């Protein structure tokens, strides 16, 4: 564990807000409809359900709902927010950012700097890093940042990627002396121009080179871990899998987190063998003994964070923070003071590995995330209803409302979008 300089402010995630649309599709139903073996999805991808955004929800309403929930539950006053960053790869306009709609819906102050961030799934983490640096630099002048990650993952109907869609948003209050997760200043970054996943300007659905994207993800994990290690200047000789109480990975589908963890373990095992550590010399990474140790490590460090991702699907920018919300809500009390590692990946690509630790009292800061309540109130769609939602959503959205959130798309006129609020969340 690294010492913080007494002069460096303690910065991190103060509160987490979560929002899911009110509809879901069971993936075994979709598998049967597409004539795909159910086990390929449930076991091969590790996914059970995906959240489906109705045509009257977009990244503005998803993000504003997550943000309104975090301000209400965290008792954060609007005047305290000096920076609003909205990360998304599902923008509603090429020029006008999602963030300015969210700014208005939340009634944030006019001196709050706001903009939208894009780099596929990575930009939520870009927002967290920018917000943390803004606070560390002193420019925040005691104010807090609100980082919103909001997305709707859409691929073509009947493509193999169809099973890895999803929708949702997470809002993070980033502050000095955080009440939830203090972030360590050293991180590891990797960037490289690859065409693994993209969405040309005229398309609503993403294109993907599926198998290649898995390789790009794992190469980026290697690169980010190498950079992280060099940033520690020799202080990081204890393997992450021994140091961390939990490891969270960007989760386009849960089996990807399994593959990532296996890669991390293999790296650390091989390094330990090269150093001549006794435990790593007993068997190689190809052996059944290693496979057994890997499963135990995965079950202890990774699986506890994946429960919500299994039921929502890929939420792109929000995906890593969906895992954090789920873990924090369930385990913050027992993880106080323990290190947690987080790996963020955005296709294209940019990736970052960073770490933090839950602070004293963090369980109280997670009491109102409300993941179970959001899941319970979802209505399950038939495959036909889901297809109709997807077709309407692909037209740019249809004004409408349900009783899930506090705001909705009220009208689209002259290519302008208008939103309305109902009651604030409690
Ligand atoms: P696919 O061709 O449908 O599936 O593509 P597959 O043939 O690769 O099979 C999937 C797994 O199921 C395999 O497991 C099979 O063995 C297994 P693995 O060998 O990989 O461990 N399987 C079975 N298991 C049990 N019973 C059976 C059975 N049959 C097969 N009967 C793919 C899958 C993920 C490629 C596809 O869904 C896709 O293209 N998804 C979108 C891309 C994606 O999610 N990429 C992830 C990495 S890139 C990333 O994370 C960035 C992203 O979030 C975007 C951003 O940054 O903005 C996507």
């Amino acid at each position: 564990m690294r010492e913080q300089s007494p002069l460096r402010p303690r910065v991190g995630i103060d509160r987490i807000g979560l929002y899911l649309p009110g509809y879901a599709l069971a993936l075994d139903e979709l598998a049967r409809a597409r004539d795909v073996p159910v086990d390929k999805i449930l076991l091969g991808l590790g996914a059970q359900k995906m959240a489906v955004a109705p045509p009257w929800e977009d990244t503005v309403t998803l993000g504003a709902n997550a943000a309104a929930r975090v301000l209400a539950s965290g008792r954060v006053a609007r005047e305290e927010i000096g920076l609003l960053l909205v990360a998304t790869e599902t923008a509603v306009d090429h020029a006008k950012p999602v963030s300015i709609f969210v700014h208005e819906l939340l009634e944030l102050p006019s001196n709050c700097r706001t903009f939208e961030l894009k780099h596929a799934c990575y930009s939520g983490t870009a927002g967290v890093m920018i917000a943390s640096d803004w606070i560390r630099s002193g420019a925040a002048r005691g104010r807090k940042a609100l980082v919103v990650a909001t997305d709707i993952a859409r691929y073509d109907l009947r493509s193999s990627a169809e099973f890895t869609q999803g929708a949702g948003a997470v809002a993070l209050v980033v502050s000095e002396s955080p009440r939830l997760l203090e972030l360590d200043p050293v991180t590891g970054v990797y960037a490289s121009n690859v065409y693994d996943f993209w969405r040309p300007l005229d398309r609503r659905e993403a294109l993907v080179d599926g198998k290649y994207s898995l390789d790009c993800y794992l190469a980026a994990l290697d690169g980010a871990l190498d950079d992280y290690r060099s940033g520690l200047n020799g202080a990081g000789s204890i393997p992450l899998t021994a140091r961390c109480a939990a490891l969270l990975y960007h989760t386009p589908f849960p089996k990807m987190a399994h593959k990532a963890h296996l890669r991390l373990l293999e790296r650390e095992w091989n390094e330990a063998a090269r150093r001549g550590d006794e435990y790593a010399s007993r068997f190689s990474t190809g052996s059944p003994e290693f496979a057994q140790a890997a499963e135990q490590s995965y079950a202890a460090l990774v699986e506890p964070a994946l429960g919500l991702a299994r039921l929502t699907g890929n939420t792109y920018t929000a995906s890593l923070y969906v895992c954090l919300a789920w873990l924090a809500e369930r385990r913050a009390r027992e993880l106080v003071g323990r290190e947690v590692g987080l790996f963020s990946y955005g296709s294209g690509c940019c990736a970052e590995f960073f770490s933090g630790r839950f602070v004293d009292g963090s369980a109280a800061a997670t009491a109102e995330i409300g993941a179970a309540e959001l899941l319970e109130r979802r209505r399950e769609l038939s495959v036909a209803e889901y297809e109709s939602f997807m077709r309407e959503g692909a037209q740019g959205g249809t004004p409408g409302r349900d009783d899930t959130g506090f705001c909705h798309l009220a009208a689209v006129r002259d290519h302008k979008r208008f939103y309305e609020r109902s009651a604030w969340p409690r």
Side-chain angles (χ1 to χ4, degrees):
M1 194 183 287
R2 275 157 293 132
E3 293 295 317
Q4 285 270 30
S5 153
L7 298 176
R8 197 193 289 274
R10 294 168 47 240
V11 174
I13 297 171
D14 188 59
R15 293 277 169 167
I16 300 184
L18 174 73
Y19 180 76
L20 302 175
Y23 305 88
L25 178 66
L27 293 177
D28 55 345
E29 292 283 314
L30 184 62
R32 278 187 278 274
R34 300 287 182 256
D35 206 15
V36 166
V38 169
D39 279 354
K40 173 176 168 183
I41 308 307
L42 302 189
L43 304 176
L45 299 182
Q48 291 170 4
K49 292 183 184 179
M50 64 190 189
V52 181
W56 51 92
E57 289 259 43
D58 60 16
T59 46
V60 171
T61 63
L62 296 176
N65 273 302
R69 284 169 66 92
V70 80
L71 294 185
S73 68
R75 318 266 178 268
V76 179
R78 286 165 179 70
E79 311 74 61
E80 289 184 81
I81 304 296
L83 180 65
L84 167 69
L85 302 175
V86 178
T88 187
E89 54 181 283
T90 326
V92 297
D93 191 288
H94 289 313
K96 199 170 168 68
V98 169
S99 52
I100 201 64
F101 294 107
V102 174
H103 181 277
E104 181 187 43
L105 285 164
L106 296 178
E107 295 181 359
L108 291 179
S110 59
N111 66 346
C112 168
R113 182 182 291 156
T114 182
F115 51 98
E116 182 183 301
L117 298 165
K118 177 173 78 179
H119 188 136
C121 302
Y122 168 69
S123 64
T125 298
V128 170
M129 297 303 154
I130 291 171
S132 302
D133 289 344
W134 176 69
I135 292 165
R136 288 190 187 108
S137 75
R141 301 196 310 269
R143 290 174 299 168
K144 298 173 176 174
L146 184 56
V147 179
V148 180
T150 172
D151 263 309
I152 300 174
R154 276 197 205 98
Y155 299 96
D156 283 329
L157 293 180
R158 295 178 179 76
S159 67
S160 65
E162 185 182 19
F163 294 93
T164 60
Q165 300 175 109
V170 171
L172 306 166
V173 175
V174 178
S175 75
E176 198 167 335
S177 304
R179 290 172 288 179
L180 183 58
L181 189 80
E182 188 175 328
L183 295 175
D184 296 323
V186 176
T187 77
V189 174
Y190 175 84
S192 168
N193 186 7
V194 289
Y195 250 114
D196 61 333
F197 165 102
W198 63 106
R199 186 162 70 82
L201 291 176
D202 58 346
R203 282 186 63 103
R204 305 273 303 173
E205 292 81 19
L207 299 170
V208 65
D209 188 342
K211 298 278 166 28
Y212 178 54
S213 74
L214 312 193
D215 295 340
C216 292
Y217 179 119
L218 295 176
L221 174 63
D222 282 336
L225 290 171
D226 288 344
D227 186 50
Y228 176 70
R229 166 71 65 81
S230 66
L232 292 178
N233 284 326
S237 57
I238 305 175
L240 286 163
T241 45
R243 225 166 77 190
C244 290
L247 281 155
L248 277 50
Y249 300 92
H250 167 57
T251 304
F253 52 93
K255 199 67 180 294
M256 191 69 228
H258 186 276
K259 290 178 193 294
H261 191 63
L262 193 62
R263 174 65 72 101
L264 172 58
L265 272 168
E266 283 170 354
R267 283 172 57 96
E268 294 196 330
W269 200 270
N270 289 332
E271 278 165 24
R274 279 196 295 276
R275 276 197 310 269
D277 290 2
E278 194 271 326
Y279 76 91
S281 321
R282 275 185 277 141
F283 38 82
S284 72
T285 52
S287 65
E289 291 88 346
F290 176 82
Q292 197 186 356
E295 287 314 312
Q296 283 166 359
S297 172
Y298 169 80
L301 301 181
V302 185
E303 179 60 35
L306 293 178
L308 189 52
R310 252 183 237 302
L311 301 172
T312 56
N314 195 352
T315 48
Y316 288 163
T317 50
S319 159
L320 178 65
Y321 302 97
V322 160
C323 295
L324 180 62
W326 185 256
L327 183 78
E329 211 180 13
R330 272 146 199 80
R331 307 264 316 267
R333 192 184 307 276
E334 68 195 82
L335 294 181
V336 166
R338 302 290 309 280
E339 190 167 359
V340 175
L342 300 100
F343 174 68
S344 179
Y345 175 74
S347 282
C349 73
C350 189
E352 189 150 358
F353 182 85
F354 58 107
S355 64
R357 64 207 73 238
F358 287 106
V359 300
D360 267 340
S362 51
T366 65
E368 293 170 60
I369 292 175
E373 169 225 333
L374 287 164
L375 289 172
E376 267 160 32
R377 73 181 187 196
R378 298 195 303 186
R379 180 166 82 75
E380 292 220 356
L381 299 171
S382 66
V383 172
E385 286 174 309
Y386 145 76
E387 288 178 350
S388 133
F389 271 13
M390 296 304 279
R391 271 193 292 271
E392 263 191 79
Q395 304 309 311
T398 312
R401 64 191 302 173
D402 56 33
D403 57 3
T404 316
F406 94 111
C407 60
H408 61 276
L409 178 64
V412 182
R413 279 193 307 272
D414 302 331
H415 301 286
K416 295 177 184 166
R417 301 173 82 80
F418 299 91
Y419 298 88
E420 270 172 11
R421 267 195 328 243
S422 48
W424 290 102
R426 282 173 290 115

